[in-house]
Amino acid sequence: MEDQFHLLFEKMKNEMLNQTKELKESITNNILEILDEKLQPVITENKILKTKVENLEREIETLKREKKQNNLIMFGVNEDERSTQDLIQNIINIFKTDLDMQFQEHEINKIYRLGKAKSSGKPRPILLSFVSEWKKNEVMKKKKNLRNVYVTEDYTKEVLEKRKTLQAQLKEERERGNIAYLKFDKLVVKEKTNNTNNEKRKREISTSPQNNNQPKKQQTIMPPINNRPNAFDVMRIRANSLSSLPTKATSNKE
Protein backbone atom coordinates (compact mmCIF):
# COMPACT_ATOMS: atom_id res chain seq x y z
CA MET A 1 0.00 0.00 0.00
CA GLU A 2 2.79 2.38 0.89
CA ASP A 3 4.53 1.56 -2.37
CA GLN A 4 1.45 2.51 -4.34
CA PHE A 5 1.18 5.83 -2.49
CA HIS A 6 4.83 6.46 -3.14
CA LEU A 7 4.47 5.80 -6.88
CA LEU A 8 1.36 7.98 -7.04
CA PHE A 9 3.17 10.78 -5.24
CA GLU A 10 6.13 10.60 -7.64
CA LYS A 11 3.80 10.64 -10.61
CA MET A 12 1.96 13.70 -9.34
CA LYS A 13 5.26 15.40 -8.60
CA ASN A 14 6.55 14.83 -12.15
CA GLU A 15 3.31 16.09 -13.65
CA MET A 16 3.48 19.24 -11.55
CA LEU A 17 7.08 19.83 -12.61
CA ASN A 18 6.16 19.41 -16.27
CA GLN A 19 3.21 21.74 -15.93
CA THR A 20 5.37 24.31 -14.16
CA LYS A 21 7.98 24.09 -16.92
CA GLU A 22 5.39 24.46 -19.65
CA LEU A 23 3.84 27.38 -17.82
CA LYS A 24 7.21 29.12 -17.51
CA GLU A 25 7.96 28.60 -21.19
CA SER A 26 4.54 29.90 -22.16
CA ILE A 27 4.88 32.98 -19.97
CA THR A 28 8.41 33.61 -21.25
CA ASN A 29 7.34 33.31 -24.88
CA ASN A 30 4.42 35.64 -24.31
CA ILE A 31 6.67 38.20 -22.63
CA LEU A 32 9.21 37.97 -25.47
CA GLU A 33 6.53 38.41 -28.09
CA ILE A 34 5.19 41.47 -26.30
CA LEU A 35 8.71 42.88 -25.99
CA ASP A 36 9.38 42.23 -29.68
CA GLU A 37 6.23 44.06 -30.62
CA LYS A 38 7.18 46.98 -28.40
CA LEU A 39 10.84 47.05 -29.51
CA GLN A 40 10.30 46.57 -33.24
CA PRO A 41 9.50 50.26 -33.90
CA VAL A 42 12.50 51.25 -31.79
CA ILE A 43 14.79 48.87 -33.72
CA THR A 44 13.51 50.17 -37.05
CA GLU A 45 13.99 53.76 -35.97
CA ASN A 46 17.48 52.93 -34.73
CA LYS A 47 18.43 51.50 -38.14
CA ILE A 48 17.11 54.61 -39.88
CA LEU A 49 19.03 56.89 -37.53
CA LYS A 50 22.20 54.82 -38.00
CA THR A 51 21.92 55.16 -41.79
CA LYS A 52 21.40 58.92 -41.47
CA VAL A 53 24.43 59.25 -39.20
CA GLU A 54 26.60 57.34 -41.68
CA ASN A 55 25.41 59.58 -44.52
CA LEU A 56 26.10 62.69 -42.45
CA GLU A 57 29.60 61.44 -41.63
CA ARG A 58 30.29 60.94 -45.34
CA GLU A 59 29.00 64.41 -46.14
CA ILE A 60 31.13 65.94 -43.37
CA GLU A 61 34.21 64.09 -44.65
CA THR A 62 33.47 65.33 -48.18
CA LEU A 63 33.13 68.90 -46.92
CA LYS A 64 36.42 68.60 -45.04
CA ARG A 65 38.19 67.38 -48.16
CA GLU A 66 36.67 70.15 -50.27
CA LYS A 67 37.79 72.69 -47.70
CA LYS A 68 41.35 71.34 -47.87
CA GLN A 69 41.54 70.59 -51.59
CA ASN A 70 43.44 73.84 -52.34
CA ASN A 71 45.82 73.43 -49.39
CA LEU A 72 49.40 72.24 -49.13
CA ILE A 73 51.58 71.49 -46.11
CA MET A 74 55.22 72.51 -46.51
CA PHE A 75 58.03 71.15 -44.33
CA GLY A 76 61.61 72.35 -44.01
CA VAL A 77 61.15 76.06 -44.80
CA ASN A 78 63.44 78.13 -42.58
CA GLU A 79 61.52 80.05 -39.95
CA ASP A 80 63.29 83.40 -40.28
CA GLU A 81 60.38 85.58 -41.40
CA ARG A 82 59.20 88.51 -39.30
CA SER A 83 55.74 88.82 -40.79
CA THR A 84 53.25 87.05 -43.02
CA GLN A 85 54.39 89.23 -45.91
CA ASP A 86 57.96 87.97 -45.48
CA LEU A 87 56.70 84.37 -45.40
CA ILE A 88 54.77 84.88 -48.65
CA GLN A 89 57.86 86.29 -50.35
CA ASN A 90 59.97 83.35 -49.13
CA ILE A 91 57.49 80.85 -50.59
CA ILE A 92 57.27 82.74 -53.89
CA ASN A 93 61.08 82.76 -54.14
CA ILE A 94 61.27 79.01 -53.42
CA PHE A 95 58.75 78.19 -56.15
CA LYS A 96 60.53 80.48 -58.61
CA THR A 97 64.00 79.08 -57.89
CA ASP A 98 63.25 75.36 -57.55
CA LEU A 99 60.13 74.88 -59.68
CA ASP A 100 60.57 77.71 -62.21
CA MET A 101 57.01 78.84 -61.44
CA GLN A 102 55.79 82.40 -61.16
CA PHE A 103 53.36 83.22 -58.34
CA GLN A 104 51.57 86.40 -57.40
CA GLU A 105 50.45 87.33 -53.92
CA HIS A 106 46.80 87.43 -54.94
CA GLU A 107 47.01 83.72 -55.91
CA ILE A 108 47.58 82.78 -52.26
CA ASN A 109 44.45 82.62 -50.15
CA LYS A 110 46.07 82.11 -46.73
CA ILE A 111 49.38 81.07 -45.26
CA TYR A 112 50.57 80.50 -41.70
CA ARG A 113 52.75 78.29 -39.51
CA LEU A 114 51.20 75.30 -37.74
CA GLY A 115 51.64 74.78 -34.00
CA LYS A 116 53.65 76.69 -31.45
CA ALA A 117 57.24 77.77 -31.90
CA LYS A 118 59.69 75.11 -30.72
CA SER A 119 62.69 75.82 -28.55
CA SER A 120 64.78 73.36 -30.59
CA GLY A 121 64.76 75.78 -33.51
CA LYS A 122 63.22 73.25 -35.88
CA PRO A 123 61.01 75.11 -38.39
CA ARG A 124 57.30 74.55 -38.05
CA PRO A 125 55.32 73.29 -41.06
CA ILE A 126 53.45 75.81 -43.18
CA LEU A 127 49.84 75.59 -44.31
CA LEU A 128 49.58 77.17 -47.75
CA SER A 129 46.16 77.63 -49.35
CA PHE A 130 45.81 78.68 -52.99
CA VAL A 131 42.90 80.51 -54.54
CA SER A 132 42.58 77.82 -57.24
CA GLU A 133 43.14 74.08 -57.09
CA TRP A 134 44.94 74.24 -60.44
CA LYS A 135 47.91 76.07 -58.90
CA LYS A 136 48.17 73.51 -56.13
CA ASN A 137 48.17 70.66 -58.63
CA GLU A 138 50.95 72.33 -60.62
CA VAL A 139 53.10 72.48 -57.49
CA MET A 140 52.38 68.83 -56.67
CA LYS A 141 53.46 67.76 -60.17
CA LYS A 142 56.85 69.43 -59.75
CA LYS A 143 57.39 68.86 -56.03
CA LYS A 144 60.29 66.45 -56.68
CA ASN A 145 62.34 69.42 -57.87
CA LEU A 146 62.11 71.15 -54.49
CA ARG A 147 65.39 71.30 -52.59
CA ASN A 148 65.41 70.89 -48.80
CA VAL A 149 61.62 71.33 -48.77
CA TYR A 150 58.96 68.62 -48.62
CA VAL A 151 55.36 69.20 -49.74
CA THR A 152 52.30 67.07 -49.06
CA GLU A 153 48.51 67.27 -49.27
CA ASP A 154 46.52 68.72 -46.38
CA TYR A 155 44.74 65.54 -45.30
CA THR A 156 42.03 65.31 -42.67
CA LYS A 157 42.72 63.71 -39.30
CA GLU A 158 40.84 60.54 -40.25
CA VAL A 159 42.80 60.16 -43.49
CA LEU A 160 46.11 60.71 -41.69
CA GLU A 161 45.27 57.97 -39.18
CA LYS A 162 44.40 55.52 -41.96
CA ARG A 163 47.58 56.37 -43.87
CA LYS A 164 49.60 55.80 -40.72
CA THR A 165 48.14 52.32 -40.25
CA LEU A 166 48.93 51.47 -43.90
CA GLN A 167 52.63 52.37 -43.68
CA ALA A 168 53.71 48.88 -42.57
CA GLN A 169 51.81 47.22 -45.41
CA LEU A 170 53.20 49.77 -47.87
CA LYS A 171 56.76 48.96 -46.82
CA GLU A 172 56.08 45.22 -47.07
CA GLU A 173 54.71 45.50 -50.63
CA ARG A 174 57.70 47.57 -51.77
CA GLU A 175 60.11 45.03 -50.28
CA ARG A 176 58.39 42.37 -52.40
CA GLY A 177 59.25 44.39 -55.50
CA ASN A 178 55.71 45.61 -56.20
CA ILE A 179 54.81 49.16 -57.14
CA ALA A 180 52.91 50.49 -54.11
CA TYR A 181 51.79 53.95 -53.06
CA LEU A 182 49.15 55.63 -50.90
CA LYS A 183 46.26 57.47 -52.51
CA PHE A 184 44.39 59.42 -49.84
CA ASP A 185 43.34 56.70 -47.36
CA LYS A 186 43.87 53.67 -49.62
CA LEU A 187 46.87 51.54 -50.56
CA VAL A 188 47.34 50.97 -54.28
CA VAL A 189 49.49 47.96 -55.26
CA LYS A 190 50.56 47.01 -58.77
CA GLU A 191 52.51 43.83 -59.35
CA LYS A 192 55.79 44.39 -61.15
CA THR A 193 55.99 42.28 -64.31
CA ASN A 194 59.45 41.17 -65.38
CA ASN A 195 59.25 41.52 -69.17
CA THR A 196 62.71 43.05 -69.58
CA ASN A 197 64.32 39.94 -71.02
CA ASN A 198 61.43 39.24 -73.38
CA GLU A 199 61.36 42.81 -74.64
CA LYS A 200 65.13 42.79 -75.09
CA ARG A 201 64.97 39.55 -77.02
CA LYS A 202 62.19 40.87 -79.24
CA ARG A 203 64.09 44.09 -79.82
CA GLU A 204 67.25 42.22 -80.82
CA ILE A 205 65.34 40.05 -83.26
CA SER A 206 63.43 42.91 -84.84
CA THR A 207 66.33 45.36 -85.11
CA SER A 208 69.11 42.99 -86.25
CA PRO A 209 69.89 43.93 -89.89
CA GLN A 210 70.19 41.23 -92.45
CA ASN A 211 73.70 40.93 -93.82
CA ASN A 212 73.41 41.18 -97.56
CA ASN A 213 77.19 40.95 -97.97
CA GLN A 214 77.39 37.36 -96.84
CA PRO A 215 79.16 35.13 -99.41
CA LYS A 216 76.79 33.15 -101.51
CA LYS A 217 76.98 29.41 -101.51
CA GLN A 218 78.96 28.01 -104.42
CA GLN A 219 76.75 26.32 -106.91
CA THR A 220 78.09 23.45 -109.00
CA ILE A 221 76.85 23.80 -112.55
CA MET A 222 76.58 20.44 -114.27
CA PRO A 223 77.10 20.24 -118.02
CA PRO A 224 74.06 19.43 -120.08
CA ILE A 225 73.36 15.77 -120.62
CA ASN A 226 73.43 16.13 -124.41
CA ASN A 227 77.12 17.14 -124.42
CA ARG A 228 78.27 14.01 -122.58
CA PRO A 229 80.04 11.35 -124.75
CA ASN A 230 78.10 8.16 -125.42
CA ALA A 231 79.61 5.17 -123.58
CA PHE A 232 78.90 2.75 -126.45
CA ASP A 233 80.70 5.00 -128.93
CA VAL A 234 83.74 5.15 -126.67
CA MET A 235 83.85 1.35 -126.35
CA ARG A 236 83.46 0.87 -130.10
CA ILE A 237 86.34 3.23 -130.88
CA ARG A 238 88.55 1.54 -128.32
CA ALA A 239 87.76 -1.93 -129.72
CA ASN A 240 88.60 -0.86 -133.26
CA SER A 241 91.91 0.58 -132.15
CA LEU A 242 92.88 -2.65 -130.41
CA SER A 243 91.93 -4.84 -133.39
CA SER A 244 94.10 -2.84 -135.74
CA LEU A 245 97.29 -3.23 -133.69
CA PRO A 246 98.22 -6.90 -134.66
CA THR A 247 97.73 -6.24 -138.37
CA LYS A 248 100.23 -3.45 -138.29
CA ALA A 249 102.69 -5.60 -136.36
CA THR A 250 102.59 -8.48 -138.90
CA SER A 251 103.00 -6.16 -141.80
CA ASN A 252 106.14 -4.78 -140.26
CA LYS A 253 107.65 -8.28 -139.88
CA GLU A 254 107.14 -9.06 -143.51
Side-chain angles (χ1 to χ4, degrees):
M1 192 72 178
E2 291 180 359
D3 294 338
Q4 292 180 354
F5 277 111
H6 182 71
L7 291 173
L8 180 62
F9 178 76
E10 289 293 333
K11 185 177 180 180
M12 292 176 63
K13 182 179 178 181
N14 292 332
E15 289 180 357
M16 290 179 65
L17 289 173
N18 292 332
Q19 289 179 359
T20 304
K21 184 178 180 181
E22 291 176 358
L23 183 61
K24 285 182 178 179
E25 290 177 355
S26 176
I27 293 172
T28 303
N29 291 333
N30 290 334
I31 293 173
L32 290 175
E33 289 178 0
I34 294 171
L35 288 175
D36 286 339
E37 291 178 359
K38 297 291 184 181
L39 290 175
Q40 192 62 39
V42 178
I43 294 172
T44 304
E45 185 178 1
N46 187 22
K47 290 181 179 179
I48 295 172
L49 290 174
K50 186 177 180 180
T51 303
K52 288 183 178 180
V53 169
E54 290 176 353
N55 293 334
L56 287 173
E57 287 178 349
R58 292 193 195 97
E59 291 178 3
I60 292 171
E61 183 65 23
T62 302
L63 290 173
K64 286 182 179 179
R65 291 188 181 185
E66 289 179 355
K67 182 181 178 181
K68 295 174 176 289
Q69 66 182 0
N70 296 350
N71 297 355
L72 289 178
I73 305 296
M74 301 184 67
F75 299 88
V77 180
N78 293 330
E79 194 169 351
D80 54 3
E81 70 276 357
R82 295 183 178 180
S83 63
T84 304
Q85 189 67 27
D86 292 342
L87 182 58
I88 292 174
Q89 288 300 323
N90 289 343
I91 298 302
I92 291 175
N93 292 335
I94 290 173
F95 288 156
K96 182 179 180 181
T97 304
D98 295 351
L99 306 183
D100 193 20
M101 295 178 65
Q102 299 292 336
F103 279 90
Q104 303 296 328
E105 291 186 14
H106 61 80
E107 293 178 311
I108 297 176
N109 183 27
K110 58 184 177 181
I111 182 172
Y112 55 87
R113 296 273 181 179
L114 297 175
K116 296 181 180 180
K118 299 179 181 179
S119 58
S120 61
K122 184 178 179 180
R124 292 174 293 169
I126 298 171
L127 186 143
L128 174 61
S129 178
F130 293 98
V131 175
S132 66
E133 187 181 4
W134 176 78
K135 277 292 184 181
K136 184 208 76 171
N137 293 335
E138 288 297 313
V139 174
M140 292 300 294
K141 289 178 183 178
K142 298 182 179 181
K143 69 177 184 177
K144 292 182 179 180
N145 297 328
L146 290 169
R147 294 174 292 180
N148 303 322
V149 177
Y150 178 71
V151 176
T152 183
E153 297 271 1
D154 184 18
Y155 298 113
T156 62
K157 184 179 179 181
E158 292 78 11
V159 173
L160 287 173
E161 290 177 354
K162 291 180 181 179
R163 289 172 67 90
K164 187 176 181 180
T165 57
L166 292 172
Q167 288 296 327
Q169 189 176 354
L170 174 66
K171 183 179 179 181
E172 182 180 350
E173 292 294 340
R174 287 179 175 175
E175 289 177 352
R176 292 178 180 175
N178 296 328
I179 300 172
Y181 57 91
L182 294 176
K183 187 174 182 180
F184 280 97
D185 57 349
K186 293 180 176 58
L187 175 63
V188 180
V189 180
K190 297 180 180 179
E191 293 185 359
K192 189 175 181 180
T193 56
N194 189 11
N195 294 328
T196 306
N197 295 332
N198 294 334
E199 292 178 358
K200 185 177 180 181
R201 190 178 298 111
K202 290 179 181 178
R203 187 163 55 250
E204 288 176 353
I205 294 173
S206 61
T207 58
S208 58
Q210 295 182 354
N211 190 358
N212 296 326
N213 297 325
Q214 291 180 354
K216 296 182 179 180
K217 292 183 179 180
Q218 295 182 354
Q219 296 180 355
T220 304
I221 301 175
M222 300 298 293
I225 298 176
N226 295 332
N227 295 333
R228 293 182 182 179
N230 194 339
F232 293 102
D233 294 339
V234 173
M235 294 297 292
R236 189 181 297 110
I237 295 169
R238 189 173 182 182
N240 293 334
S241 62
L242 291 174
S243 61
S244 61
L245 288 176
T247 307
K248 291 181 180 180
T250 52
S251 62
N252 291 333
K253 286 181 180 180
E254 291 177 354

